[in-house]
Amino acid sequence: MIDSSIRFSVAPMMDWTDRHCRVFHRLLTRRARLYTEMLTTGAIIHGARRRLLSFDASEHPVALQLGGSNPRDLAEAARIGEDFGYDEINMNVGCPSDRVKGGNFGACLMAEPQLVAECVAAMKQAVRIPVTVKCRIGIDDQDPEVALDTLSRAVIAAGSDALVVHARKAWLNGLSPKENRDIPPLHYDRVYRLKAALPAVPVVINGGITSIAAAKQHLDHVDGAMLGRAAYQEPWRLLSVDPELFGEAAPHATMHDAIEALMPYVERELAAGTRLHSITRHLVGAFHGVPGARAFRRYLAEVCTKPGAGTDSLREALTIVEPRSAAPIAA
């Protein structure tokens, strides 16, 4: 039986889905699976481990996404992640950035399915929690029918517990990382065919999904849907995840209520030396489409970025927006 906890997730996004973002998102949905930003094995093994990996207990279920291609290093980083309490280890085989390509991890590994399989096998031996792979449907001149099937079967044979598939190719030669998020066409049908060919394998679809309603449509064909930029830039959408996809009430009725519930966390973080802006930068899209949203964003940018700004500043920002207004969350 496929675990229902993969039914909806928020994508790992560099510079966005840090621990403050995830705590905020958890106040909008109890059921979504959350992901860290991609962290390289080198950073975890040799870097400031506690700073990189610590997270709030409220974030569960939360997955650690790893970037790397050395099976031994990935196994060690996965073991460290498990010790920190993560619920899943996810291997990045989809990021198209130049830095990732230069380090021989991310989307370029689509060309090395056997190496990816070896990495998965090493991580599976090292940890007891699920190990998953996030990939593209192919890269550059690869035939997606062959490339995705070859990679998927290799990593499943090695023990991968699920596949998360961004339904676009990545063009490592000719397109920038930003262009790779939009220009290659989406081929959702290719991911549907993968699921049909591997009915016992949990398959999550990602790429270009802009609403909970759209995510729900994909669930007719696959086991899970993952939102990226839409979830981050318009976080109010997450208030409808639990009611629409899990038949449960949202943790908070409105965005005002959710941000009020965030205040104790903000106070703890400020006391620990975190700057308010490190948290409030994730709230910029909270009131998209609501009267006062522009003034709210301006207040966050002009006041909440000042040294010494505290919860009083955030509460003042909330007064700018109509208190019980809500964006059309089913849109």
Side-chain angles (χ1 to χ4, degrees), residues 119-179:
C119 292
V120 168
M123 289 187 285
K124 286 292 292 183
Q125 286 188 323
V127 300
R128 295 177 300 278
I129 58 176
V131 172
T132 63
V133 171
K134 186 172 190 293
C135 65
R136 295 277 182 139
I137 61 172
I139 55 171
D140 297 331
D141 292 323
Q142 284 185 330
D143 178 352
E145 297 300 326
V146 176
L148 181 58
D149 188 68
T150 301
L151 181 86
S152 299
R153 292 184 184 278
V155 300
I156 293 300
S160 180
D161 293 286
L163 297 167
V164 183
V165 185
H166 186 141
R168 284 187 174 96
K169 266 191 175 186
W171 286 91
L172 304 182
N173 298 300
L175 292 180
S176 70
K178 182 176 185 299
E179 289 170 332

Side-chain angles (χ1 to χ4, degrees), residues 60-82:
H60 291 292
V62 58
L64 169 63
Q65 189 182 66
L66 296 178
S69 59
N70 180 293
R72 184 180 62 252
D73 289 350
L74 280 162
E76 183 176 354
R79 192 160 41 239
I80 293 166
E82 182 179 45

Side-chain angles (χ1 to χ4, degrees), residues 7-321:
R7 187 168 171 82
F8 181 84
S9 50
V10 178
M13 290 173 283
M14 294 292 290
D15 300 321
W16 287 5
T17 52
D18 64 15
R19 62 191 180 91
H20 306 309
C21 172
R22 298 192 305 267
V23 167
F24 171 49
H25 284 178
R26 182 57 71 215
L27 291 170
L28 307 177
T29 164
R30 295 184 185 92
R31 298 297 300 270
R33 181 165 287 256
L34 305 178
Y35 283 76
T36 68
E37 306 167 84
M38 183 188 67
L39 297 174
T40 64
T41 55
I44 290 172
I45 295 169
H46 306 295
R49 196 174 293 176
R50 186 156 298 279
R51 178 180 62 80
L52 288 170
L53 292 176
S54 293
F55 64 95
D56 191 83
S58 68
E59 295 176 39
H60 291 292
V62 58
L64 169 63
Q65 189 182 66
L66 296 178
S69 59
N70 180 293
R72 184 180 62 252
D73 289 350
L74 280 162
E76 183 176 354
R79 192 160 41 239
I80 293 166
E82 182 179 45
D83 289 344
F84 266 81
Y86 284 94
D87 300 295
E88 172 192 330
I89 303 297
N90 177 260
M91 182 177 175
N92 185 313
V93 189
C95 181
S97 80
D98 293 336
R99 184 169 64 87
V100 166
K101 184 169 58 172
N104 194 37
F105 52 95
C108 65
L109 291 174
M110 291 291 301
E112 299 186 68
Q114 194 51 48
L115 174 58
V116 178
E118 291 169 13
C119 292
V120 168
M123 289 187 285
K124 286 292 292 183
Q125 286 188 323
V127 300
R128 295 177 300 278
I129 58 176
V131 172
T132 63
V133 171
K134 186 172 190 293
C135 65
R136 295 277 182 139
I137 61 172
I139 55 171
D140 297 331
D141 292 323
Q142 284 185 330
D143 178 352
E145 297 300 326
V146 176
L148 181 58
D149 188 68
T150 301
L151 181 86
S152 299
R153 292 184 184 278
V155 300
I156 293 300
S160 180
D161 293 286
L163 297 167
V164 183
V165 185
H166 186 141
R168 284 187 174 96
K169 266 191 175 186
W171 286 91
L172 304 182
N173 298 300
L175 292 180
S176 70
K178 182 176 185 299
E179 289 170 332
N180 264 302
R181 291 195 293 267
D182 295 303
I183 292 177
L186 287 157
H187 292 288
Y188 295 133
D189 286 351
R190 177 64 191 97
V191 186
Y192 299 164
R193 288 196 296 278
L194 176 70
K195 174 60 190 177
L198 301 171
V201 176
V203 174
V204 176
I205 197 165
N206 173 227
I209 305 172
T210 58
S211 69
I212 307 308
K216 197 171 185 177
Q217 291 179 332
H218 286 295
L219 294 174
D220 291 335
H221 307 279
V222 291
D223 305 293
M226 176 179 278
L227 254 70
R229 283 171 289 166
Y232 185 88
Q233 295 170 342
E234 299 174 339
W236 50 269
R237 293 184 182 278
L238 296 178
L239 285 170
S240 64
V241 168
D242 294 3
E244 291 292 322
L245 301 183
F246 295 93
E248 300 173 4
H252 298 283
T254 69
M255 189 62 76
H256 274 83
D257 295 337
I259 294 177
E260 277 293 341
L262 184 65
M263 294 296 180
Y265 174 82
V266 176
E267 289 169 353
R268 291 197 305 272
E269 285 297 315
L270 294 177
T274 300
R275 286 189 60 173
L276 181 62
H277 175 63
S278 296
I279 302 171
T280 57
R281 73 187 187 94
H282 301 299
L283 311 183
V284 169
F287 294 104
H288 177 84
V290 171
R294 183 176 297 178
F296 172 80
R297 292 195 298 270
R298 186 166 60 246
Y299 193 94
L300 293 186
E302 295 176 356
V303 178
C304 293
T305 55
K306 292 180 178 178
T311 51
D312 288 348
S313 298
L314 180 52
R315 284 199 166 93
E316 183 64 28
L318 279 179
T319 66
I320 296 170
V321 193

